[in-house]
Amino acid sequence: MAAMFKALSDPVRLRLLSRVASHPSGEACVCDISDVGVSQPTVSHHLKKLREAGLLSSERRGTWVYYRPAPGVLAALGEFLADTEKAGRG
């Protein structure tokens, strides 16, 4: 969990994960999410870090790479945060 939150501590990575997770089809081509205010090589670097942290999975289709949240990861993050909030109130 710590590696995931460390990866999300960067604002660009958080924006990228949000764009992928909120994409209508449930996955996004890198061409659909690369307008986050940094260069394309920097976007690729951040997407790699999100994959390494287990937050995203990817699939190459022709010349494009499509990203989707790793299975169960959004639910796991939500549960962790909910448990943390409950512990703080207890």
Side-chain angles (χ1 to χ4, degrees):
M1 219 23 96
M4 290 181 184
F5 282 107
K6 182 178 179 183
L8 291 175
S9 69
D10 185 286
V12 172
R13 290 183 198 146
L14 187 58
R15 263 193 312 272
L16 287 167
L17 179 64
S18 176
R19 290 205 179 166
V20 170
S22 65
H23 201 272
S25 66
E27 66 179 8
C29 173
V30 70
C31 61
D32 295 330
I33 58 171
S34 61
D35 59 337
V36 292
V38 295
S39 67
Q40 178 56 45
T42 303
V43 167
S44 294
H45 167 76
H46 286 303
L47 289 168
K48 178 182 175 187
K49 292 295 185 182
L50 290 169
R51 279 193 335 267
E52 289 173 348
L55 292 161
L56 292 178
S57 61
S58 64
E59 177 184 344
R60 180 171 292 279
R61 296 183 200 152
T63 59
W64 296 109
V65 178
Y66 287 79
Y67 294 88
R68 72 191 61 78
V73 75
L74 298 178
L77 290 171
E79 288 175 26
F80 177 82
L81 292 172
D83 290 346
T84 301
E85 182 182 21
K86 287 177 191 173
R89 285 186 274 170

